[in-house]
Amino acid sequence: MAFESLSDKLQGAFKKLKGKGVLTEADINEAMREVKLALLEADVNFKVVKSFVNDVKEKCMGSEVLESLTPTQQIIKIVNQELIDLMGGTNSKLTYSPSGFTTIMMVGLQGTGKTTTCGKLANYLKQHGKKPMMAACDIYRPAAIDQLEVVGKSVNTPVFTMRDSKDPAKIALAAKQEAEKKGFDVLIVDTAGRLQIDEALMDELVNIKGTVRPHEILLVVDALTGQDAVNVAEGFNEKLGIDGIVMTKMDGDSRGGAALSAKKVTGKPIKFMGMGEKFDALEPFHPERMASRILGMGDMLSLIEKAEAAFDQEKAEKLEQQLKKNQFTLEDFLDQMGQVKNMGGLGKIMEMIPGMSSAQMKGVDIEAGEKEFRQMEAIIQSMTIEERKNPNLLNASRRKRIAAGSGQPVSKVNNMIKRYEEVKKMMKQFNNPKALKRNKLFRGLF
């Protein structure tokens, strides 16, 4: 989880303050020392840490904090706002051309996941009503063109290629003309990378930039490289001029220092973050939501957005009608598990729940929960359509056959059916206010 280590340390520092009714200057100095160490250990740029801690400390020394009835909450509020400002203040959206056709140029070093990110961006744009095309302008790396074509097929997005050309700028221009002619409204240009910033790379990118005049130049950097990612961003911005950063592998970096330093050092916002290998694992970067996650306050807005993206209105209405008739079947149960999976699984959901710190999550066996989900899916998928629609058919011999078909013991089949019955009963109560009042879990709500 991104920022896991930093989040634990910051929450630990504030926890020590909570037991004190009145805070002294010494208490604040001690807390700021721990905040400083936490940021440095998270690989945040030293100058950024120094400036951040000084700003927070200055505001924490104000009378409204020292004389407050809840000084710890005031300090957390200050740290939260400073973290938001540090990461850019607000979500920085993509800039689209007012003419209707937008060119986005993707740049970066080798190994950062640039080509895969092109596919993720194409998928994101399609979800937001755009019609993208990708252009293969990396003519140096072996199989780079083939890789982009594979990525394009995976996200159902066409890829423009000119395999005989050795001029990336010429390819990009031809791709732009082709995309406009065929009615696409966004062109994503995948460019070549190097193992380090060099003159030849920059000359080529500047040439492409001058030829196609992109509306957005997005730099793809690897969060796992820490401050090296920030240094690369600074170098690209000085020589090419970038509009934003895509931070990949954020799900694998528990420190997060690169994300905290990038905006302050380069002056350019992080626009997206890669949170997994799948093509739907590209998320807009929201500083306020990320600050909330770091301080253990959850991210309900992102959770709601994920739920809305996974929500199928037609299926929901059908399910509502079935519940009224007490017809919640195993097919419906399987569908509900699929909705959770579409939201990123149990782990992703729990990360966004307020108050769910990484320490608390360690006490929850998410992997076991995900495994149980997969087992239940396998069991239901091993049933006939009739059995899914009418679980009353599931006698001992049928359960034995289903167990063999799913590779699970009969006890797992019995447990899955028990879980289904519990969910069905709960669903029935949600549809019956009187029964809901009798349920002790919901009694306090009425």
Side-chain angles (χ1 to χ4, degrees):
M1 176 181 126
F3 300 106
E4 181 180 343
S5 176
L6 174 62
S7 181
D8 285 347
K9 286 183 172 62
L10 287 181
Q11 289 178 53
F14 297 135
K15 199 172 183 180
K16 290 178 183 177
L17 295 177
K18 282 181 181 176
K20 302 184 179 185
V22 178
L23 295 184
T24 64
E25 188 173 332
D27 292 329
I28 292 174
N29 285 334
E30 175 60 23
M32 289 305 105
R33 191 183 73 83
E34 291 197 33
V35 168
K36 182 178 180 180
L37 289 173
L39 291 168
L40 290 172
E41 285 178 27
D43 200 23
V44 180
N45 178 281
F46 175 73
K47 290 180 181 176
V48 172
V49 172
K50 188 177 178 183
S51 172
F52 178 86
V53 171
N54 287 340
D55 289 345
V56 171
K57 187 176 176 181
E58 185 180 328
K59 289 176 182 174
C60 285
M61 289 298 186
S63 60
E64 70 274 11
V65 172
L66 293 176
E67 296 171 11
S68 169
L69 293 173
T70 55
T72 306
Q73 290 177 5
Q74 293 280 10
I75 290 174
I76 293 172
K77 183 181 177 183
I78 290 168
V79 172
N80 180 59
Q81 188 56 54
E82 290 297 316
L83 280 172
I84 292 170
D85 293 343
L86 182 63
M87 291 186 283
T90 57
N91 167 241
S92 185
K93 297 185 184 338
L94 286 174
T95 302
Y96 296 107
S97 169
S99 70
F101 184 85
T102 302
T103 303
I104 300 173
M105 185 174 163
M106 306 293 282
V107 302
L109 300 183
Q110 279 184 15
T112 58
K114 179 160 45 65
T115 300
T116 303
T117 301
C118 286
K120 289 181 178 181
L121 182 60
N123 186 63
Y124 173 85
L125 290 169
K126 288 176 72 174
Q127 289 176 347
H128 289 77
K130 297 295 181 181
K131 190 180 178 185
M133 175 189 271
M134 296 189 285
C137 295
D138 183 353
I139 59 172
Y140 307 106
R141 184 168 58 87
I145 296 173
D146 295 332
Q147 184 191 353
L148 189 64
E149 285 184 322
V150 170
V151 166
K153 284 179 183 175
S154 298
V155 294
N156 197 26
T157 300
V159 176
F160 181 87
T161 64
M162 284 175 62
R163 291 178 181 272
D164 297 332
S165 177
K166 300 299 179 187
D167 185 347
K170 184 179 177 182
I171 297 169
L173 182 60
K176 183 179 179 181
Q177 292 167 345
E178 180 80 359
E180 285 187 283
K181 187 171 81 175
K182 290 191 172 179
F184 294 93
D185 52 17
V186 181
L187 177 68
I188 301 169
V189 181
D190 183 25
T191 63
R194 301 284 192 278
L195 293 176
Q196 71 267 333
I197 297 175
D198 62 19
E199 216 57 50
L201 169 66
M202 285 305 155
D203 287 345
E204 181 178 297
L205 295 177
V206 168
N207 194 18
I208 295 173
K209 177 183 177 181
T211 303
V212 297
R213 298 173 185 253
H215 303 91
E216 286 270 356
I217 299 179
L218 297 180
L219 173 68
V220 182
V221 295
D222 182 345
L224 294 176
T225 59
Q227 284 312 295
D228 282 344
V230 179
N231 295 335
V232 167
E234 198 173 16
F236 267 88
N237 188 46
E238 284 176 4
K239 298 190 177 184
L240 182 66
I242 62 174
D243 297 295
I245 298 166
V246 180
M247 195 80 67
T248 64
K249 304 174 190 174
M250 281 285 284
D251 56 317
D253 182 22
S254 66
R255 297 176 302 170
L260 285 171
S261 306
K263 178 66 167 70
K264 189 79 171 177
V265 173
T266 67
K268 302 298 179 180
I270 298 172
K271 295 202 172 186
F272 292 97
M273 54 184 181
M275 297 298 288
E277 295 178 5
K278 294 181 180 178
F279 288 109
D280 61 355
L282 185 72
E283 299 179 10
F285 186 79
H286 294 273
E288 68 280 7
R289 300 184 193 182
M290 194 53 70
S292 185
R293 282 199 213 184
I294 292 170
L295 295 176
M297 295 186 286
D299 183 359
M300 288 306 295
L301 284 174
S302 291
L303 182 58
I304 290 165
E305 284 175 3
K306 281 184 175 290
E308 286 175 341
F311 182 75
D312 188 316
Q313 181 69 37
E314 193 176 321
K315 285 183 179 179
E317 289 173 357
K318 182 183 174 185
L319 180 60
E320 184 182 355
Q321 293 303 315
Q322 287 176 301
L323 288 173
K324 286 179 180 178
K325 298 174 185 176
N326 195 25
Q327 293 177 344
F328 182 73
T329 68
L330 281 163
E331 282 192 329
D332 298 320
F333 188 47
L334 181 65
D335 189 59
Q336 296 306 303
M337 287 191 282
Q339 302 249 13
V340 172
K341 190 187 288 184
N342 288 341
M343 288 172 66
L346 295 174
K348 290 284 183 188
I349 292 171
M350 290 183 72
E351 281 179 22
M352 298 178 195
I353 297 173
M356 187 61 72
S357 67
S358 57
Q360 288 171 304
M361 285 180 66
K362 283 170 187 170
V364 179
D365 197 339
I366 294 170
E367 193 173 326
E370 299 278 11
K371 184 180 178 182
E372 189 175 358
F373 255 46
R374 291 193 295 271
Q375 289 172 346
M376 289 195 292
E377 283 181 324
I379 290 167
I380 297 173
Q381 286 163 353
S382 296
M383 296 177 183
T384 65
I385 293 173
E386 289 77 15
E387 287 167 343
R388 293 184 205 177
K389 289 182 177 178
N390 184 10
N392 292 327
L393 296 173
L394 297 172
N395 56 26
S397 62
R398 286 176 184 258
R399 293 186 188 202
K400 191 174 180 182
R401 189 205 78 239
I402 292 163
S406 62
Q408 301 296 325
V410 175
S411 60
K412 288 280 186 183
V413 177
N414 292 337
N415 185 58
M416 188 283 300
I417 294 169
K418 183 181 177 184
R419 294 284 294 275
Y420 155 72
E421 293 290 349
E422 289 170 352
V423 171
K424 182 180 179 181
K425 186 177 179 182
M426 186 180 72
M427 290 281 201
K428 186 178 178 182
Q429 288 179 329
F430 270 116
N431 202 44
N432 183 347
K434 289 183 180 179
L436 196 61
K437 284 182 183 181
R438 291 195 297 271
N439 189 319
K440 63 182 180 181
L441 289 173
F442 301 100
R443 200 173 291 155
L445 297 176
F446 295 90

